[in-house]
Amino acid sequence: MDEIQALINKFVNDRDWDQYHQPEKLAMSISIEAAELLEHYQWGYDGDEQGVKEELADVLIYCFQMCDKIGVRADDIIKMKMKKNEEKYPVEKARGVATKYDKL
């Protein structure tokens, strides 16, 4: 993940774009790119695999930028959240069902 973060930071720094990347702007950008990803599925999958990959990459890039901006590591917060998810969705209750944790 450090290599990816360094690649993104170099791209941004080479263009002097960090000045535009406040956390609230990055949060908006994540949402916008996620909506663009959803467009590929709006009326059923349109088969544009390359478009899906590019929009997903845009979401991930902005997520990495936000992590960097607020001083957290993506792998650390993912591990933290997965531990919490494991507690909320124990295998013996959640396996094979899509029920929200408070209804298990």
Side-chain angles (χ1 to χ4, degrees), residues 23-88:
E24 64 274 10
K25 299 291 186 187
L26 293 169
M28 286 184 242
S29 296
I30 292 166
S31 181
I32 291 164
E33 294 299 338
E36 290 177 10
L37 175 61
L38 275 173
E39 283 183 318
H40 290 279
Y41 298 96
Q42 183 175 11
W43 306 113
Y45 178 61
D46 68 5
D48 183 5
E49 184 177 337
Q50 185 62 31
V52 168
K53 288 178 184 178
E54 290 178 12
E55 296 304 340
L56 184 56
D58 287 341
V59 171
L60 291 168
I61 289 165
Y62 280 125
C63 287
F64 270 88
Q65 286 180 287
M66 183 142 184
C67 285
D68 189 57
K69 186 58 76 172
I70 65 173
V72 299
R73 290 180 47 94
D75 54 339
D76 289 340
I77 63 173
I78 290 169
K79 289 173 188 174
M80 176 270 305
K81 183 61 177 178
M82 290 305 298
K83 182 174 177 10
K84 191 172 185 176
N85 287 344
E86 287 176 359
E87 293 167 3
K88 287 169 48 176

Side-chain angles (χ1 to χ4, degrees), residues 1-28:
M1 291 197 173
D2 291 336
E3 179 184 348
I4 298 298
Q5 189 67 64
L7 179 68
I8 295 166
N9 288 350
K10 181 179 181 338
F11 180 87
V12 171
N13 291 335
D14 286 352
R15 288 154 182 82
D16 192 27
W17 286 351
D18 189 59
Q19 61 184 313
Y20 307 114
H21 292 172
Q22 299 83 14
E24 64 274 10
K25 299 291 186 187
L26 293 169
M28 286 184 242

